[in-house]
């Protein structure tokens, strides 16, 4: 016998139950497989006195190990002469660079260049030809998927105006002084964020202090105070909302390593 559904309360409860289940499922955080990262590594410079081999490769392997094991996927990995301004989101169309992934990690040299501010030095850097990424090239261009850029270089955040790159992206983690190179830095940072669920800023502070102990200044710049205080690596805890509306105010924290 065919049963005709008449919209009775019993039937409506059935669909209400399904709706509640769907709402609960939709509120569950995405698995880390949905998260992506990118890496740029410059260890071979035109000026051989600047070479960082094999540190860049070793640091990259630590980054890959932690994130791959946590289920993240790599969006791209560029090295040495294949790293250019577009990797840092300098263009608004075509290849998005770091904007294509939630997290970007860069290893290399940084410089505070005369009266031009700080910059990320590219592999062809020469004093007579400052091939580098300056903050003006990425002003208000870090948005789309990107949430954080870890720039493992010297000097970058001596110029706090790098915070101007943060459109809907949340933060930059770097240094405001000269510093050494070490695989312990990314290892401790990702252990802090993934194993201990520290916030991004606090994880970076602890990692820099435990790695260097003295003689450098660690720094972060975030777009909002909530992002600075509460952002966790995706999948590890709360992440503050994107800034809305976007403005030119940023929040900086520095400390002695």
């Amino acid at each position: 016998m065919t049963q005709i559904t008449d919209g009775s309360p019993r039937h409506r409860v059935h669909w209400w139950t399904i709706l509640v289940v769907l709402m609960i499922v939709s509120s569950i955080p995405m698995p880390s497989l949905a998260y992506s990262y990118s890496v740029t590594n410059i260890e071979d410079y035109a000026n051989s006195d600047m070479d960082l081999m094999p540190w860049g490769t070793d640091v990259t392997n630590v980054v890959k190990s932690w994130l791959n094991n946590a289920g993240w996927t790599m969006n791209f990995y560029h090295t040495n002469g294949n790293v250019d301004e577009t990797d840092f989101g300098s263009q608004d169309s075509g290849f998005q660079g770091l904007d294509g992934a939630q997290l970007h990690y860069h290893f290399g040299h940084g410089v505070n260049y005369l009266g031009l501010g700080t910059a990320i030095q590219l592999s062809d850097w020469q004093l007579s030809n400052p091939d580098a990424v300056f903050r003006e090239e990425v002003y208000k261009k870090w948005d789309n998927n990107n949430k954080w850029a870890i720039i493992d270089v010297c000097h970058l955040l001596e110029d706090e105006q790098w915070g101007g790159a943060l459109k809907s992206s949340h933060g930059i983690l770097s240094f405001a002084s000269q510093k050494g190179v070490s695989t312990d830095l990314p290892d401790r940072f990702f252990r802090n964020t993934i194993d201990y669920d520290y916030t991004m800023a606090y994880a970076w502070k602890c990692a820099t202090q435990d790695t260097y102990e003295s003689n450098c200044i660690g720094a972060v710049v975030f777009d909002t105070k909530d992002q600075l205080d509460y952002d966790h690596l995706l999948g590890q805890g709360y992440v503050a909302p994107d800034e809305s509306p976007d403005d030119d105010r940023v929040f900086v924290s520095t400390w002695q390593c």
Side-chain angles (χ1 to χ4, degrees):
M1 180 174 69
T2 303
Q3 181 177 0
I4 299 175
T5 303
D6 61 0
S8 64
R10 180 167 57 90
H11 185 71
R12 288 197 295 271
V13 168
H14 170 71
W15 284 104
W16 176 250
T17 302
I18 293 175
L19 179 60
V20 170
V21 170
L22 289 174
M23 291 174 64
I24 293 172
V25 170
S26 67
S27 68
I28 297 173
M30 291 186 298
S32 56
L33 189 61
Y35 308 140
S36 61
Y37 69 99
S38 53
V39 178
T40 44
N41 161 30
I42 305 178
E43 60 183 357
D44 185 7
Y45 286 83
N47 179 351
S48 60
D49 290 339
M50 295 173 59
D51 284 351
L52 295 170
M53 297 178 290
W55 287 105
T57 298
D58 293 343
V59 164
T60 296
N61 287 338
V62 172
V63 175
K64 289 180 180 178
S65 177
W66 272 104
L67 292 176
N68 291 348
N69 287 337
W72 289 56
T73 58
M74 176 176 281
N75 192 34
F76 71 85
Y77 173 43
H78 291 169
T79 63
N80 302 320
N82 292 319
V83 179
D84 62 23
E85 289 87 350
T86 63
D87 291 318
F88 297 92
S90 64
Q91 61 186 34
D92 294 322
S93 61
F95 176 63
Q96 294 181 341
L98 60 75
D99 280 334
Q102 283 87 13
L103 176 71
H104 183 76
Y105 197 108
H106 173 74
F107 175 88
H109 281 299
V111 64
N112 196 335
Y113 186 67
L114 303 176
L116 299 179
T118 63
I120 301 167
Q121 293 168 284
L122 299 177
S123 63
D124 287 335
W125 171 272
Q126 302 282 350
L127 284 175
S128 59
N129 177 33
D131 187 19
V133 182
F134 290 90
R135 57 178 169 78
E136 292 85 356
E137 298 175 81
V138 294
Y139 179 74
K140 293 298 181 187
K141 291 188 176 179
W142 291 4
D143 50 12
N144 295 328
N145 290 326
N146 183 258
K147 289 289 180 282
W148 309 282
I150 301 172
I151 311 297
D152 188 356
V153 305
C154 299
H155 301 299
L156 189 79
L157 291 182
E158 288 174 15
D159 182 356
E160 296 175 0
Q161 292 189 56
W162 268 91
L166 303 173
K167 187 175 181 182
S168 63
S169 181
H170 287 201
I172 304 170
L173 292 72
S174 189
F175 292 87
S177 70
Q178 191 168 347
K179 57 92 183 178
V181 294
S182 174
T183 56
D184 289 340
L185 177 63
D187 185 58
R188 286 171 170 148
F189 172 74
F190 286 111
R191 187 179 308 280
N192 290 342
T193 55
I194 294 172
D195 284 355
Y196 305 148
D197 296 333
Y198 290 179
T199 64
M200 296 291 284
Y202 185 60
W204 186 249
K205 180 177 182 178
C206 292
T208 59
Q209 290 179 330
D210 291 343
T211 298
Y212 297 113
E213 297 183 353
S214 62
N215 300 322
C216 76
I217 298 173
V220 297
V221 54
F222 279 78
D223 214 10
T224 73
K225 184 66 161 55
D226 280 353
Q227 293 166 2
L228 171 64
D229 289 342
Y230 302 119
D231 264 9
H232 292 75
L233 188 67
L234 291 167
Q236 306 303 139
Y238 176 76
V239 178
D242 295 348
E243 181 183 59
S244 181
D246 181 37
D247 60 28
D248 288 322
R249 190 180 183 191
V250 296
F251 295 82
V252 178
S253 178
T254 62
W255 55 86
Q256 189 72 40
C257 297

